[in-house]
Amino acid sequence: GQSLTVAEPGGIGAFDIVVAGDYRLESAGQVRIDGFPLQPGATVRLEAGAHEFRAGPEMTEALLRWADLGEVPEAEPVGLLEFFGVDRGAAQAAQMHIRRGFKRYGRGSGGGI
């Protein structure tokens, strides 16, 4: 996404869009892009080039994401082990068992069999 930041709440900043497209606003409140007011979650079509961002009162940042990416999920991201249903404790125990085996038989220490 494109981060939009200003030094002070309600400040004005400039940003560039490299790829024209529809962008969704993520912010704590209303902002203005090129003079047009946008509410959080609104979608705006931006052409490639320079644009102006005015933060709302008590805001210094917002984010524009590709609108085609869909809605941001409410759930927190999970790691690969949890995603694939692997018990983290069992995976760590198996990894320790493998490491002990390597040490016992001289593998991983520069020596060979």
Side-chain angles (χ1 to χ4, degrees):
Q2 173 72 50
S3 275
L4 309 173
T5 58
V6 293
E8 297 179 3
I12 298 174
F15 66 97
D16 289 322
I17 291 292
V18 177
V19 178
D22 294 329
Y23 291 84
R24 182 180 315 103
L25 175 67
E26 293 180 19
S27 66
Q30 179 179 297
V31 303
R32 289 185 175 268
I33 304 256
D34 296 335
F36 296 101
L38 293 173
Q39 296 295 329
T43 300
V44 60
R45 174 88 181 157
L46 295 173
E47 298 302 322
H51 296 274
E52 181 183 89
F53 163 66
R54 180 186 289 268
E58 301 181 26
M59 290 175 49
T60 58
E61 61 186 24
L63 182 66
L64 289 172
R65 292 194 191 269
W66 274 101
D68 291 344
L69 291 179
E71 295 296 322
V72 176
E74 292 182 20
E76 290 293 319
V78 298
L80 284 176
L81 292 177
E82 290 84 4
F83 181 80
F84 288 107
V86 175
D87 176 8
R88 183 177 292 275
Q92 288 173 339
Q95 190 176 30
M96 289 301 294
H97 181 71
I98 291 168
R99 285 184 183 155
R100 278 191 229 124
F102 279 149
K103 287 181 183 178
R104 182 177 301 139
Y105 296 107
R107 292 186 179 103
S109 64
I113 295 180

